[in-house]
Amino acid sequence: MAAAAAPAGPATSTFGLEPNGAQHDRADPPEIEDRQTHSEDATPHDLVDPATLTTRSSVLQALAELSTYSASLEDELVSLFEESLPVIDEAKRNVASVAPQVELVKEEAYVLDRRLQESASVAKRISERVRLLDEERKRIALATEWAVKVAELKDALLSLAAAVERRDWDQATTHCIKAMSIDPAITSSKFAAAVIPTAELPEAPDATLLALRQAMLSAFTESFRRATESKDQAEASRFFKLFPQVGWKQEGLDVYSSFAKTMVRERGRAIGESLGSGKAQSPTYFALLLTGLFEHLATLIDMHQPVVDRHYGQGNFGHGVMPGLQDECDRLGLRVLDAWHEDRGIKRKLDEVNSHRFVGGAAAAAAAKSPPPAFRPAFGVPGRTASPAGGRTASSSIDDPSGPDGREIDRILNELAAIGSRWGLYRRFLQDRLQVPDGNHHDGRQRSLAEERKAQASEPLKDFRRPSVSSPRLSLDGAPTGAGQADRDSFEAVEMRDIAAESQLGKQVDEALATVYTTMETWYLRNSLEKAFRIDQPDLQARPYTSSILDDAFYVLRTVLGRVLSTASLRTVSAMFRTVRSVVEEDFIEAIVRKMENTWRSVSGSMAVDGPRKEAATREMRTVFVTYLNVLDISAQYMDRVLGDVGNEQSLARIYGGDELEQTLAIVHSLGSLVNRLKSGLRTEIDQLFTQITRPRLRAILTEAYRDTSYVLDDEGYADAEDRDLVRRRFIKGWEHVFHAFKGIFTESNHNTYVNMALDALLKPWEGMVMGMRFSELGALRFDKDIRGISTFLASQTSLPVREKFTRLQQISYVINLDATEDEGDVYQNAVSSGISWRLSAAEVKSIQALRL
């Protein structure tokens, strides 16, 4: 049944589409549309579903309907076929009418194909012939060029050989440049080897050219040496310029380097004679020798670098000549350093310094437990022994213990620092002078000999043996000058080596700074501080009190820091500044603290019992503490001043440059932590003095001031209190009794700190005392006047804002003095609303209000 229904689909598509699948462009006839509609109405969808057939009769009926539907489809197909026959016939006729035209096109295409094949064959033959002609033309041109170049090469070689034989070096150079400009492939070719050799020049052309160039090299070298020995500047300049033009640039640089080294050796002979004379009495003798050597090299570089870089290319002086000069410098400089080690006895002094033991550790702890020595007479006498004001340093004390001589160590350090300084300045000179600027490009054109000589006619070489009288002698302190426009016209730029970093002399100087200098400088600083404490004298006539340790210690510290920075060695500066920080903390700040603690331990027993011994002990403790508290306070100021002096950026810029300057400034500023350390120690010890001497006496000031005082006053009592003014007078008397011994002997900062501590200690018990009193209206008024009078007096004793510290007492007075009408309501909130910033709490205000009668 399903198979019978299948033809419906194809029948519909057959008349709805063209054979190629495209939609037919003409409309179906109406009768066809009607039949299609009828057939669609009789689709199998109207037939019975076989799955629903359950009886024989229903099956027979369904078969009958299916037979009827099949018959209708067959009739419809026959009808459609008959109707399509006219259309098919029309299509056949149309196709038959086009056939002659297709045959005509085929014949024309055949004719064109035959004609085009003949033309293509001719064109192919012509193209191949043209390509052959082009190749022949190129080969002829190349052969012609080779023939011309070989002829030029032969002519150049013959002319070169003749010029060399005549020793006409200018012509020889011209012909050599011409021969060298020819392509090496031609020079070394078999064709050239077969054509060029003659009876006079039987070798291959490249071998002949090399032999002639080597002869020229030998002749140039010999002529240059003779010219320099005879000091013929023009002749030396002439041959010096010829080396690079004939391809012997490196050899020319080697010859010039050898010559330059002879000039350094002449200086070396003078140095050797100086070292052999045994005249090394000057404390900076060896530093001066090295300075002379560095300045001599700087002069040579200044005179000859522009000329060498001009003719050989920018950077070639540093690349080809400077290494030889630096080798000679290293050889002579190391000889000076070795003589310095031996003459100054560095190894022996270094052993003495390393074996020296300072008073510290257990020794310092034991000394701290023993009573301190009595103070010596006042310091400040002109020409005092070991005083810098008297023209001698702390290291020149007459009571030197056994150990290294501080004066000898000081001289060694000065000389070694000078050596480091001069090497650092020379190193910066090399780095600045030999640095090849970026952006210099070679245009690839070699100038002819005539052009070169014309360009250089006005620039002969300088006097090779001595500085020109027309050129000032370059000092290492002078700013390095560039080679100017001449450098920018150089043939080529080369990569520059770091000559200073590779220098053996520089490495030895750095090693001496790292081992000898840092060790001896550390010893010198510690030894000087130890001696400064040993000869320490207080100046009790000065106001404020001070001590000789202050000037001696910071004189030494300023000397050491300045000398460290003068070494021009960032590594040395970094290591020494860390050491200085440690030494100042341990050997200066902690030593002062130990002196005060030692004093306290020695007098604490005497201060426990009233009497003359207590007064003497108190006076001794006060004198020692005030003196060294002032020393700590002024030391913080001196430290800031010293760091500002030695860390001056303009001064350091003459020693360090670039990143080194920034790092050095950071290292110097890091020493500012000592200022905070000094202030911390000062605060701790001033609190110790206040706790032991002043705090116990403050309560008596209040007790005496308010003795037999009542603020419950009537008119007569108020008038009497106004006349007598007992509270203010008693307070001032008690204050001056406690503080008269400190008047003028403290520094201003320490005095303010001490008064501030006293006020902090007074005000709390003062407030507690007031909270235990009762006040009448007139008594409250009298209390307010007493508070104001005392605060005015205390404000005159210090530059601190004393009135702020009396804010709570003044607010207590304010609450007590409120009128009865003002007592109504919430006083605390009313005052807040009116803009008062309370230091009292609301509960305290209520308690104070209860004090009014």
mmCIF file with all atom_site columns, all heavy atoms in Angstrom, residues 368 370 372 375 594-604 617 620-622 624-625 628:
data_model
loop_
_atom_site.group_PDB
_atom_site.id
_atom_site.type_symbol
_atom_site.label_atom_id
_atom_site.label_alt_id
_atom_site.label_comp_id
_atom_site.label_asym_id
_atom_site.label_entity_id
_atom_site.label_seq_id
_atom_site.pdbx_PDB_ins_code
_atom_site.Cartn_x
_atom_site.Cartn_y
_atom_site.Cartn_z
_atom_site.occupancy
_atom_site.B_iso_or_equiv
_atom_site.pdbx_formal_charge
_atom_site.auth_seq_id
_atom_site.auth_comp_id
_atom_site.auth_asym_id
_atom_site.auth_atom_id
_atom_site.pdbx_PDB_model_num
ATOM 1   N N   . ALA A 1 368 ? 82.716 50.626 84.887 1.00 0.00 ? 368 ALA A N   1
ATOM 2   C CA  . ALA A 1 368 ? 81.448 51.264 85.233 1.00 0.00 ? 368 ALA A CA  1
ATOM 3   C C   . ALA A 1 368 ? 81.082 51.042 86.685 1.00 0.00 ? 368 ALA A C   1
ATOM 4   O O   . ALA A 1 368 ? 80.372 51.837 87.300 1.00 0.00 ? 368 ALA A O   1
ATOM 5   C CB  . ALA A 1 368 ? 80.333 50.742 84.326 1.00 0.00 ? 368 ALA A CB  1
ATOM 6   N N   . SER A 1 370 ? 83.279 50.870 89.169 1.00 0.00 ? 370 SER A N   1
ATOM 7   C CA  . SER A 1 370 ? 84.201 51.583 90.049 1.00 0.00 ? 370 SER A CA  1
ATOM 8   C C   . SER A 1 370 ? 83.863 53.060 90.065 1.00 0.00 ? 370 SER A C   1
ATOM 9   O O   . SER A 1 370 ? 83.301 53.588 89.104 1.00 0.00 ? 370 SER A O   1
ATOM 10  C CB  . SER A 1 370 ? 85.634 51.384 89.564 1.00 0.00 ? 370 SER A CB  1
ATOM 11  O OG  . SER A 1 370 ? 85.769 51.917 88.259 1.00 0.00 ? 370 SER A OG  1
ATOM 12  N N   . PRO A 1 372 ? 83.977 56.957 89.561 1.00 0.00 ? 372 PRO A N   1
ATOM 13  C CA  . PRO A 1 372 ? 84.635 57.719 88.501 1.00 0.00 ? 372 PRO A CA  1
ATOM 14  C C   . PRO A 1 372 ? 85.710 58.612 89.064 1.00 0.00 ? 372 PRO A C   1
ATOM 15  O O   . PRO A 1 372 ? 85.652 59.001 90.230 1.00 0.00 ? 372 PRO A O   1
ATOM 16  C CB  . PRO A 1 372 ? 83.484 58.542 87.926 1.00 0.00 ? 372 PRO A CB  1
ATOM 17  C CG  . PRO A 1 372 ? 82.563 58.760 89.090 1.00 0.00 ? 372 PRO A CG  1
ATOM 18  C CD  . PRO A 1 372 ? 82.641 57.495 89.894 1.00 0.00 ? 372 PRO A CD  1
ATOM 19  N N   . PHE A 1 375 ? 86.650 65.226 88.700 1.00 0.00 ? 375 PHE A N   1
ATOM 20  C CA  . PHE A 1 375 ? 86.792 66.107 87.548 1.00 0.00 ? 375 PHE A CA  1
ATOM 21  C C   . PHE A 1 375 ? 88.076 66.905 87.649 1.00 0.00 ? 375 PHE A C   1
ATOM 22  O O   . PHE A 1 375 ? 88.499 67.300 88.736 1.00 0.00 ? 375 PHE A O   1
ATOM 23  C CB  . PHE A 1 375 ? 85.600 67.079 87.480 1.00 0.00 ? 375 PHE A CB  1
ATOM 24  C CG  . PHE A 1 375 ? 84.400 66.467 86.873 1.00 0.00 ? 375 PHE A CG  1
ATOM 25  C CD1 . PHE A 1 375 ? 83.221 66.358 87.588 1.00 0.00 ? 375 PHE A CD1 1
ATOM 26  C CD2 . PHE A 1 375 ? 84.450 65.998 85.573 1.00 0.00 ? 375 PHE A CD2 1
ATOM 27  C CE1 . PHE A 1 375 ? 82.112 65.785 87.023 1.00 0.00 ? 375 PHE A CE1 1
ATOM 28  C CE2 . PHE A 1 375 ? 83.330 65.444 84.994 1.00 0.00 ? 375 PHE A CE2 1
ATOM 29  C CZ  . PHE A 1 375 ? 82.162 65.331 85.723 1.00 0.00 ? 375 PHE A CZ  1
ATOM 30  N N   . ARG A 1 594 ? 77.494 55.403 80.277 1.00 0.00 ? 594 ARG A N   1
ATOM 31  C CA  . ARG A 1 594 ? 78.170 54.669 81.352 1.00 0.00 ? 594 ARG A CA  1
ATOM 32  C C   . ARG A 1 594 ? 78.769 55.632 82.384 1.00 0.00 ? 594 ARG A C   1
ATOM 33  O O   . ARG A 1 594 ? 78.771 55.342 83.583 1.00 0.00 ? 594 ARG A O   1
ATOM 34  C CB  . ARG A 1 594 ? 79.273 53.778 80.763 1.00 0.00 ? 594 ARG A CB  1
ATOM 35  C CG  . ARG A 1 594 ? 78.761 52.529 80.085 1.00 0.00 ? 594 ARG A CG  1
ATOM 36  C CD  . ARG A 1 594 ? 79.879 51.513 79.903 1.00 0.00 ? 594 ARG A CD  1
ATOM 37  N NE  . ARG A 1 594 ? 80.948 52.031 79.076 1.00 0.00 ? 594 ARG A NE  1
ATOM 38  C CZ  . ARG A 1 594 ? 81.002 51.892 77.760 1.00 0.00 ? 594 ARG A CZ  1
ATOM 39  N NH1 . ARG A 1 594 ? 80.025 51.279 77.117 1.00 0.00 ? 594 ARG A NH1 1
ATOM 40  N NH2 . ARG A 1 594 ? 82.026 52.380 77.079 1.00 0.00 ? 594 ARG A NH2 1
ATOM 41  N N   . LYS A 1 595 ? 79.282 56.776 81.921 1.00 0.00 ? 595 LYS A N   1
ATOM 42  C CA  . LYS A 1 595 ? 79.819 57.756 82.870 1.00 0.00 ? 595 LYS A CA  1
ATOM 43  C C   . LYS A 1 595 ? 78.725 58.224 83.834 1.00 0.00 ? 595 LYS A C   1
ATOM 44  O O   . LYS A 1 595 ? 78.949 58.333 85.056 1.00 0.00 ? 595 LYS A O   1
ATOM 45  C CB  . LYS A 1 595 ? 80.400 58.952 82.113 1.00 0.00 ? 595 LYS A CB  1
ATOM 46  C CG  . LYS A 1 595 ? 81.831 58.778 81.633 1.00 0.00 ? 595 LYS A CG  1
ATOM 47  C CD  . LYS A 1 595 ? 82.299 60.033 80.921 1.00 0.00 ? 595 LYS A CD  1
ATOM 48  C CE  . LYS A 1 595 ? 83.791 59.936 80.603 1.00 0.00 ? 595 LYS A CE  1
ATOM 49  N NZ  . LYS A 1 595 ? 84.627 60.146 81.792 1.00 0.00 ? 595 LYS A NZ  1
ATOM 50  N N   . MET A 1 596 ? 77.535 58.508 83.300 1.00 0.00 ? 596 MET A N   1
ATOM 51  C CA  . MET A 1 596 ? 76.442 58.979 84.164 1.00 0.00 ? 596 MET A CA  1
ATOM 52  C C   . MET A 1 596 ? 75.958 57.870 85.093 1.00 0.00 ? 596 MET A C   1
ATOM 53  O O   . MET A 1 596 ? 75.699 58.098 86.274 1.00 0.00 ? 596 MET A O   1
ATOM 54  C CB  . MET A 1 596 ? 75.297 59.519 83.293 1.00 0.00 ? 596 MET A CB  1
ATOM 55  C CG  . MET A 1 596 ? 75.649 60.839 82.604 1.00 0.00 ? 596 MET A CG  1
ATOM 56  S SD  . MET A 1 596 ? 74.273 61.587 81.733 1.00 0.00 ? 596 MET A SD  1
ATOM 57  C CE  . MET A 1 596 ? 74.314 60.654 80.218 1.00 0.00 ? 596 MET A CE  1
ATOM 58  N N   . GLU A 1 597 ? 75.848 56.665 84.558 1.00 0.00 ? 597 GLU A N   1
ATOM 59  C CA  . GLU A 1 597 ? 75.424 55.546 85.414 1.00 0.00 ? 597 GLU A CA  1
ATOM 60  C C   . GLU A 1 597 ? 76.470 55.253 86.482 1.00 0.00 ? 597 GLU A C   1
ATOM 61  O O   . GLU A 1 597 ? 76.127 54.932 87.636 1.00 0.00 ? 597 GLU A O   1
ATOM 62  C CB  . GLU A 1 597 ? 75.184 54.314 84.545 1.00 0.00 ? 597 GLU A CB  1
ATOM 63  C CG  . GLU A 1 597 ? 73.978 54.456 83.620 1.00 0.00 ? 597 GLU A CG  1
ATOM 64  C CD  . GLU A 1 597 ? 73.815 53.250 82.727 1.00 0.00 ? 597 GLU A CD  1
ATOM 65  O OE1 . GLU A 1 597 ? 74.758 52.410 82.708 1.00 0.00 ? 597 GLU A OE1 1
ATOM 66  O OE2 . GLU A 1 597 ? 72.780 53.143 82.049 1.00 0.00 ? 597 GLU A OE2 1
ATOM 67  N N   . ASN A 1 598 ? 77.724 55.368 86.124 1.00 0.00 ? 598 ASN A N   1
ATOM 68  C CA  . ASN A 1 598 ? 78.808 55.177 87.089 1.00 0.00 ? 598 ASN A CA  1
ATOM 69  C C   . ASN A 1 598 ? 78.723 56.208 88.209 1.00 0.00 ? 598 ASN A C   1
ATOM 70  O O   . ASN A 1 598 ? 78.896 55.901 89.391 1.00 0.00 ? 598 ASN A O   1
ATOM 71  C CB  . ASN A 1 598 ? 80.154 55.265 86.359 1.00 0.00 ? 598 ASN A CB  1
ATOM 72  C CG  . ASN A 1 598 ? 81.308 54.919 87.276 1.00 0.00 ? 598 ASN A CG  1
ATOM 73  O OD1 . ASN A 1 598 ? 81.161 54.132 88.209 1.00 0.00 ? 598 ASN A OD1 1
ATOM 74  N ND2 . ASN A 1 598 ? 82.465 55.499 87.008 1.00 0.00 ? 598 ASN A ND2 1
ATOM 75  N N   . THR A 1 599 ? 78.431 57.449 87.812 1.00 0.00 ? 599 THR A N   1
ATOM 76  C CA  . THR A 1 599 ? 78.282 58.514 88.814 1.00 0.00 ? 599 THR A CA  1
ATOM 77  C C   . THR A 1 599 ? 77.120 58.214 89.752 1.00 0.00 ? 599 THR A C   1
ATOM 78  O O   . THR A 1 599 ? 77.220 58.373 90.976 1.00 0.00 ? 599 THR A O   1
ATOM 79  C CB  . THR A 1 599 ? 78.071 59.861 88.117 1.00 0.00 ? 599 THR A CB  1
ATOM 80  O OG1 . THR A 1 599 ? 79.200 60.133 87.282 1.00 0.00 ? 599 THR A OG1 1
ATOM 81  C CG2 . THR A 1 599 ? 77.903 60.979 89.115 1.00 0.00 ? 599 THR A CG2 1
ATOM 82  N N   . TRP A 1 600 ? 76.012 57.794 89.187 1.00 0.00 ? 600 TRP A N   1
ATOM 83  C CA  . TRP A 1 600 ? 74.838 57.496 90.007 1.00 0.00 ? 600 TRP A CA  1
ATOM 84  C C   . TRP A 1 600 ? 75.132 56.372 91.004 1.00 0.00 ? 600 TRP A C   1
ATOM 85  O O   . TRP A 1 600 ? 74.796 56.455 92.188 1.00 0.00 ? 600 TRP A O   1
ATOM 86  C CB  . TRP A 1 600 ? 73.654 57.136 89.134 1.00 0.00 ? 600 TRP A CB  1
ATOM 87  C CG  . TRP A 1 600 ? 72.582 56.373 89.842 1.00 0.00 ? 600 TRP A CG  1
ATOM 88  C CD1 . TRP A 1 600 ? 72.154 55.122 89.574 1.00 0.00 ? 600 TRP A CD1 1
ATOM 89  C CD2 . TRP A 1 600 ? 71.825 56.818 90.973 1.00 0.00 ? 600 TRP A CD2 1
ATOM 90  N NE1 . TRP A 1 600 ? 71.172 54.738 90.443 1.00 0.00 ? 600 TRP A NE1 1
ATOM 91  C CE2 . TRP A 1 600 ? 70.956 55.784 91.333 1.00 0.00 ? 600 TRP A CE2 1
ATOM 92  C CE3 . TRP A 1 600 ? 71.816 57.989 91.732 1.00 0.00 ? 600 TRP A CE3 1
ATOM 93  C CZ2 . TRP A 1 600 ? 70.070 55.863 92.391 1.00 0.00 ? 600 TRP A CZ2 1
ATOM 94  C CZ3 . TRP A 1 600 ? 70.930 58.083 92.788 1.00 0.00 ? 600 TRP A CZ3 1
ATOM 95  C CH2 . TRP A 1 600 ? 70.062 57.032 93.115 1.00 0.00 ? 600 TRP A CH2 1
ATOM 96  N N   . ARG A 1 601 ? 75.809 55.320 90.536 1.00 0.00 ? 601 ARG A N   1
ATOM 97  C CA  . ARG A 1 601 ? 76.104 54.210 91.442 1.00 0.00 ? 601 ARG A CA  1
ATOM 98  C C   . ARG A 1 601 ? 77.067 54.639 92.559 1.00 0.00 ? 601 ARG A C   1
ATOM 99  O O   . ARG A 1 601 ? 76.970 54.159 93.685 1.00 0.00 ? 601 ARG A O   1
ATOM 100 C CB  . ARG A 1 601 ? 76.712 53.048 90.657 1.00 0.00 ? 601 ARG A CB  1
ATOM 101 C CG  . ARG A 1 601 ? 75.681 52.214 89.898 1.00 0.00 ? 601 ARG A CG  1
ATOM 102 C CD  . ARG A 1 601 ? 76.298 50.936 89.380 1.00 0.00 ? 601 ARG A CD  1
ATOM 103 N NE  . ARG A 1 601 ? 77.287 51.219 88.342 1.00 0.00 ? 601 ARG A NE  1
ATOM 104 C CZ  . ARG A 1 601 ? 77.016 51.271 87.047 1.00 0.00 ? 601 ARG A CZ  1
ATOM 105 N NH1 . ARG A 1 601 ? 75.771 51.087 86.648 1.00 0.00 ? 601 ARG A NH1 1
ATOM 106 N NH2 . ARG A 1 601 ? 77.959 51.523 86.168 1.00 0.00 ? 601 ARG A NH2 1
ATOM 107 N N   . SER A 1 602 ? 77.982 55.543 92.231 1.00 0.00 ? 602 SER A N   1
ATOM 108 C CA  . SER A 1 602 ? 78.973 55.942 93.235 1.00 0.00 ? 602 SER A CA  1
ATOM 109 C C   . SER A 1 602 ? 78.386 56.865 94.303 1.00 0.00 ? 602 SER A C   1
ATOM 110 O O   . SER A 1 602 ? 78.889 56.902 95.432 1.00 0.00 ? 602 SER A O   1
ATOM 111 C CB  . SER A 1 602 ? 80.155 56.623 92.557 1.00 0.00 ? 602 SER A CB  1
ATOM 112 O OG  . SER A 1 602 ? 79.747 57.834 91.951 1.00 0.00 ? 602 SER A OG  1
ATOM 113 N N   . VAL A 1 603 ? 77.341 57.619 93.968 1.00 0.00 ? 603 VAL A N   1
ATOM 114 C CA  . VAL A 1 603 ? 76.806 58.589 94.940 1.00 0.00 ? 603 VAL A CA  1
ATOM 115 C C   . VAL A 1 603 ? 75.473 58.155 95.515 1.00 0.00 ? 603 VAL A C   1
ATOM 116 O O   . VAL A 1 603 ? 74.948 58.821 96.416 1.00 0.00 ? 603 VAL A O   1
ATOM 117 C CB  . VAL A 1 603 ? 76.652 59.976 94.275 1.00 0.00 ? 603 VAL A CB  1
ATOM 118 C CG1 . VAL A 1 603 ? 77.964 60.458 93.714 1.00 0.00 ? 603 VAL A CG1 1
ATOM 119 C CG2 . VAL A 1 603 ? 75.577 59.964 93.196 1.00 0.00 ? 603 VAL A CG2 1
ATOM 120 N N   . SER A 1 604 ? 74.896 57.072 95.024 1.00 0.00 ? 604 SER A N   1
ATOM 121 C CA  . SER A 1 604 ? 73.553 56.687 95.484 1.00 0.00 ? 604 SER A CA  1
ATOM 122 C C   . SER A 1 604 ? 73.536 56.371 96.976 1.00 0.00 ? 604 SER A C   1
ATOM 123 O O   . SER A 1 604 ? 72.574 56.685 97.680 1.00 0.00 ? 604 SER A O   1
ATOM 124 C CB  . SER A 1 604 ? 73.057 55.477 94.688 1.00 0.00 ? 604 SER A CB  1
ATOM 125 O OG  . SER A 1 604 ? 73.959 54.384 94.824 1.00 0.00 ? 604 SER A OG  1
ATOM 126 N N   . ALA A 1 617 ? 76.967 64.730 97.389 1.00 0.00 ? 617 ALA A N   1
ATOM 127 C CA  . ALA A 1 617 ? 76.652 63.701 96.396 1.00 0.00 ? 617 ALA A CA  1
ATOM 128 C C   . ALA A 1 617 ? 75.655 64.220 95.364 1.00 0.00 ? 617 ALA A C   1
ATOM 129 O O   . ALA A 1 617 ? 75.784 63.973 94.160 1.00 0.00 ? 617 ALA A O   1
ATOM 130 C CB  . ALA A 1 617 ? 76.097 62.454 97.096 1.00 0.00 ? 617 ALA A CB  1
ATOM 131 N N   . GLU A 1 620 ? 77.472 66.582 93.045 1.00 0.00 ? 620 GLU A N   1
ATOM 132 C CA  . GLU A 1 620 ? 78.325 65.855 92.098 1.00 0.00 ? 620 GLU A CA  1
ATOM 133 C C   . GLU A 1 620 ? 77.490 65.199 91.007 1.00 0.00 ? 620 GLU A C   1
ATOM 134 O O   . GLU A 1 620 ? 77.814 65.285 89.815 1.00 0.00 ? 620 GLU A O   1
ATOM 135 C CB  . GLU A 1 620 ? 79.145 64.799 92.827 1.00 0.00 ? 620 GLU A CB  1
ATOM 136 C CG  . GLU A 1 620 ? 80.078 64.022 91.896 1.00 0.00 ? 620 GLU A CG  1
ATOM 137 C CD  . GLU A 1 620 ? 80.890 62.968 92.638 1.00 0.00 ? 620 GLU A CD  1
ATOM 138 O OE1 . GLU A 1 620 ? 80.778 62.902 93.878 1.00 0.00 ? 620 GLU A OE1 1
ATOM 139 O OE2 . GLU A 1 620 ? 81.628 62.237 91.975 1.00 0.00 ? 620 GLU A OE2 1
ATOM 140 N N   . MET A 1 621 ? 76.403 64.556 91.400 1.00 0.00 ? 621 MET A N   1
ATOM 141 C CA  . MET A 1 621 ? 75.546 63.899 90.413 1.00 0.00 ? 621 MET A CA  1
ATOM 142 C C   . MET A 1 621 ? 74.938 64.928 89.455 1.00 0.00 ? 621 MET A C   1
ATOM 143 O O   . MET A 1 621 ? 74.900 64.709 88.231 1.00 0.00 ? 621 MET A O   1
ATOM 144 C CB  . MET A 1 621 ? 74.432 63.127 91.119 1.00 0.00 ? 621 MET A CB  1
ATOM 145 C CG  . MET A 1 621 ? 73.497 62.404 90.169 1.00 0.00 ? 621 MET A CG  1
ATOM 146 S SD  . MET A 1 621 ? 72.229 61.457 91.019 1.00 0.00 ? 621 MET A SD  1
ATOM 147 C CE  . MET A 1 621 ? 71.316 60.796 89.636 1.00 0.00 ? 621 MET A CE  1
ATOM 148 N N   . ARG A 1 622 ? 74.480 66.059 90.038 1.00 0.00 ? 622 ARG A N   1
ATOM 149 C CA  . ARG A 1 622 ? 73.886 67.087 89.194 1.00 0.00 ? 622 ARG A CA  1
ATOM 150 C C   . ARG A 1 622 ? 74.914 67.627 88.177 1.00 0.00 ? 622 ARG A C   1
ATOM 151 O O   . ARG A 1 622 ? 74.614 67.810 87.009 1.00 0.00 ? 622 ARG A O   1
ATOM 152 C CB  . ARG A 1 622 ? 73.349 68.220 90.066 1.00 0.00 ? 622 ARG A CB  1
ATOM 153 C CG  . ARG A 1 622 ? 72.690 69.335 89.262 1.00 0.00 ? 622 ARG A CG  1
ATOM 154 C CD  . ARG A 1 622 ? 72.010 70.347 90.173 1.00 0.00 ? 622 ARG A CD  1
ATOM 155 N NE  . ARG A 1 622 ? 72.952 70.939 91.101 1.00 0.00 ? 622 ARG A NE  1
ATOM 156 C CZ  . ARG A 1 622 ? 72.889 70.786 92.432 1.00 0.00 ? 622 ARG A CZ  1
ATOM 157 N NH1 . ARG A 1 622 ? 71.946 70.039 92.961 1.00 0.00 ? 622 ARG A NH1 1
ATOM 158 N NH2 . ARG A 1 622 ? 73.775 71.360 93.228 1.00 0.00 ? 622 ARG A NH2 1
ATOM 159 N N   . VAL A 1 624 ? 77.704 66.175 86.963 1.00 0.00 ? 624 VAL A N   1
ATOM 160 C CA  . VAL A 1 624 ? 78.051 65.183 85.943 1.00 0.00 ? 624 VAL A CA  1
ATOM 161 C C   . VAL A 1 624 ? 76.904 65.001 84.955 1.00 0.00 ? 624 VAL A C   1
ATOM 162 O O   . VAL A 1 624 ? 77.100 65.032 83.727 1.00 0.00 ? 624 VAL A O   1
ATOM 163 C CB  . VAL A 1 624 ? 78.414 63.835 86.594 1.00 0.00 ? 624 VAL A CB  1
ATOM 164 C CG1 . VAL A 1 624 ? 78.608 62.759 85.532 1.00 0.00 ? 624 VAL A CG1 1
ATOM 165 C CG2 . VAL A 1 624 ? 79.665 63.979 87.443 1.00 0.00 ? 624 VAL A CG2 1
ATOM 166 N N   . PHE A 1 625 ? 75.694 64.828 85.483 1.00 0.00 ? 625 PHE A N   1
ATOM 167 C CA  . PHE A 1 625 ? 74.564 64.570 84.594 1.00 0.00 ? 625 PHE A CA  1
ATOM 168 C C   . PHE A 1 625 ? 74.283 65.765 83.698 1.00 0.00 ? 625 PHE A C   1
ATOM 169 O O   . PHE A 1 625 ? 74.064 65.613 82.490 1.00 0.00 ? 625 PHE A O   1
ATOM 170 C CB  . PHE A 1 625 ? 73.326 64.214 85.428 1.00 0.00 ? 625 PHE A CB  1
ATOM 171 C CG  . PHE A 1 625 ? 73.152 62.747 85.644 1.00 0.00 ? 625 PHE A CG  1
ATOM 172 C CD1 . PHE A 1 625 ? 73.978 62.060 86.523 1.00 0.00 ? 625 PHE A CD1 1
ATOM 173 C CD2 . PHE A 1 625 ? 72.186 62.030 84.972 1.00 0.00 ? 625 PHE A CD2 1
ATOM 174 C CE1 . PHE A 1 625 ? 73.835 60.698 86.733 1.00 0.00 ? 625 PHE A CE1 1
ATOM 175 C CE2 . PHE A 1 625 ? 72.037 60.668 85.166 1.00 0.00 ? 625 PHE A CE2 1
ATOM 176 C CZ  . PHE A 1 625 ? 72.860 59.996 86.053 1.00 0.00 ? 625 PHE A CZ  1
ATOM 177 N N   . TYR A 1 628 ? 76.958 66.053 80.885 1.00 0.00 ? 628 TYR A N   1
ATOM 178 C CA  . TYR A 1 628 ? 76.896 65.081 79.802 1.00 0.00 ? 628 TYR A CA  1
ATOM 179 C C   . TYR A 1 628 ? 75.538 65.062 79.117 1.00 0.00 ? 628 TYR A C   1
ATOM 180 O O   . TYR A 1 628 ? 75.437 64.673 77.943 1.00 0.00 ? 628 TYR A O   1
ATOM 181 C CB  . TYR A 1 628 ? 77.280 63.695 80.318 1.00 0.00 ? 628 TYR A CB  1
ATOM 182 C CG  . TYR A 1 628 ? 78.767 63.604 80.572 1.00 0.00 ? 628 TYR A CG  1
ATOM 183 C CD1 . TYR A 1 628 ? 79.269 63.465 81.866 1.00 0.00 ? 628 TYR A CD1 1
ATOM 184 C CD2 . TYR A 1 628 ? 79.665 63.713 79.531 1.00 0.00 ? 628 TYR A CD2 1
ATOM 185 C CE1 . TYR A 1 628 ? 80.625 63.412 82.098 1.00 0.00 ? 628 TYR A CE1 1
ATOM 186 C CE2 . TYR A 1 628 ? 81.025 63.657 79.755 1.00 0.00 ? 628 TYR A CE2 1
ATOM 187 C CZ  . TYR A 1 628 ? 81.504 63.512 81.037 1.00 0.00 ? 628 TYR A CZ  1
ATOM 188 O OH  . TYR A 1 628 ? 82.855 63.483 81.253 1.00 0.00 ? 628 TYR A OH  1
#
